[in-house]
Amino acid sequence: MATYYAQRASAGLIIAEAATPNAVGQTYPNITAIHGAAHVAGWRRVTGAVRDAGGRMFLQIQHGGRVGHPATSGLAPVAPSAVPLPGTIFTPDGHRPAAVPRAMTPAEIRATVADFADAARNAIAVGFAGVEVHAANGYLLHQFLGQGTNRRTDAYGGSVAGRIRFVVEVVQAVAAAIGPERVGVRVSPGGTANGMDEGDTDAIYPALVDALAGEGLAYLHVVHADPDTEVFKEIRRRWHGVLIANPVLGDTVPDDGGRRAGERLLAAGADLVALGRPFLANPDLVDRIRLGAPLNPVRDRYLMYVGGPTGYTDYPALAETLVPAS
């Protein structure tokens, strides 16, 4: 991991992979975390390598919620409501039917808010410049936002104000712990990953943005952003801080590494563009985009880490591909 991220230190900002704030939040086998001593020691080596290479990093903090399994974490998953993930989930024993999560109690909600704050403190202590609160892609915070996954009748469910409450409390607690200028938030308006069904996307995100707008946060990060949609336009109108937008690139990474898609988002008001898959195969993606140089193709088998350097740290840099044959 230290090698992988150091290879990509030329990115303006690296947003590291999702790390869980507690044991029950684990999603899949061998996912990173930031709540134990071993996690702290490991991440310190990673941030040190990136810093030595001239880069900077934020750590994404993510709780899986119902996207978890006792075979992986040893714990029954928790969620806003007892609504299971559709289909199966990957575990150490292969794909298994998803477990029915246990609806969180108010006390567990408060404890989870505190876990996010503690995780953020750990992240700063090991050398991250800040953290990104993951409220997207069908994980716990996103589950609280959606009507299909949040069927609560207490203060954390029902109305839009109730369903955004948990996300707002987590962000406020993290900001209080490490300073709002070190905190970003990731959202995926209308996203259907992990069986999500928001129901009223056009109502959720204006309310959430308004609730967070006065917190002085580092940025808001919209993933799979489409500049032609009304929800993106409304978010940009309401969010007066830094807006990061992640373009929709389709099934195959375009030859330009996402440059044209990114420029469309910049023209629509985004301040920064986030790229994922192009960086997997191109550690020096910034230089390749600047020069219009060809890209390494992403090896589809290695879109997810499978162990070892292959498809992870063995993609060549541009300088290596230009060395003349002897």
Side-chain angles (χ1 to χ4, degrees):
M1 287 176 68
T3 299
Y4 173 83
Y5 283 119
Q7 287 175 339
R8 289 153 181 79
S10 61
L13 172 66
I14 295 174
I15 302 172
E17 63 205 90
T20 58
N22 55 29
V24 74
Q26 184 176 359
T27 51
Y28 308 109
N30 301 318
I31 292 296
T32 64
I34 189 65
H35 58 85
H39 312 140
V40 167
W43 276 120
R44 183 173 282 117
R45 293 197 296 274
V46 175
T47 60
V50 171
R51 184 174 57 251
D52 290 346
R56 68 187 74 185
M57 299 179 76
F58 271 41
L59 178 65
Q60 194 178 81
I61 305 179
Q62 173 219 72
H63 188 301
R66 70 175 184 170
V67 186
H69 198 281
T72 300
S73 67
L75 301 166
V78 297
S81 302
V83 180
L85 179 75
T88 63
I89 185 170
F90 184 70
T91 76
D93 306 317
H95 280 274
R96 298 179 59 170
V100 177
R102 182 170 48 78
M104 297 172 72
T105 66
E108 287 174 323
I109 289 174
R110 291 191 294 272
T112 303
V113 170
D115 288 342
F116 268 88
D118 287 342
R121 293 186 187 95
N122 286 342
I124 298 305
V126 303
F128 285 101
V131 303
E132 179 175 279
V133 174
H134 196 317
N137 301 107
Y139 298 109
L140 181 64
L141 274 67
H142 196 193
Q143 292 161 26
F144 269 87
L145 296 178
Q147 290 178 333
T149 43
N150 184 345
R151 301 178 184 175
R152 303 177 73 94
T153 57
D154 64 2
Y156 291 93
S159 67
V160 168
R163 282 181 281 128
I164 70 172
R165 178 177 175 177
F166 179 57
V167 176
V168 173
E169 288 184 356
V170 167
V171 173
Q172 289 175 336
V174 170
I178 63 173
E181 72 282 358
R182 294 177 178 267
V183 181
V185 180
R186 175 186 176 102
V187 294
S188 54
T192 59
N194 290 309
M196 278 300 299
D197 176 15
E198 292 177 344
D200 53 355
T201 299
D202 291 341
I204 293 169
Y205 291 93
L208 181 61
V209 169
D210 288 350
L212 298 177
E215 298 295 327
L217 303 178
Y219 63 78
L220 181 66
H221 181 182
V222 180
V223 298
H224 297 151
D226 183 343
D228 295 329
T229 61
E230 286 304 314
V231 68
F232 180 83
K233 294 175 184 177
E234 188 65 20
I235 288 172
R236 178 67 284 186
R237 281 194 291 266
R238 292 171 180 266
W239 183 258
H240 302 299
V242 173
L243 184 69
I244 301 178
N246 162 240
V248 179
L249 297 183
D251 294 336
T252 302
V253 175
D255 291 341
D256 67 355
R259 177 170 182 161
R260 285 186 293 273
E263 287 175 344
R264 283 188 67 225
L265 287 167
L266 294 173
D271 299 295
L272 298 169
V273 173
L275 296 171
R277 283 177 298 152
F279 256 119
L280 296 181
N282 297 277
D284 52 355
L285 181 66
V286 173
D287 288 338
R288 290 175 187 262
I289 289 177
R290 181 183 295 120
L291 298 172
L295 302 183
N296 297 319
V298 180
R299 289 172 248 165
D300 289 344
R301 181 184 173 190
Y302 300 100
L303 280 172
M304 297 292 285
Y305 181 60
V306 297
T310 304
Y312 191 53
T313 57
D314 66 338
Y315 282 109
L318 185 60
E320 298 172 72
T321 65
L322 298 178
V323 173
S326 56

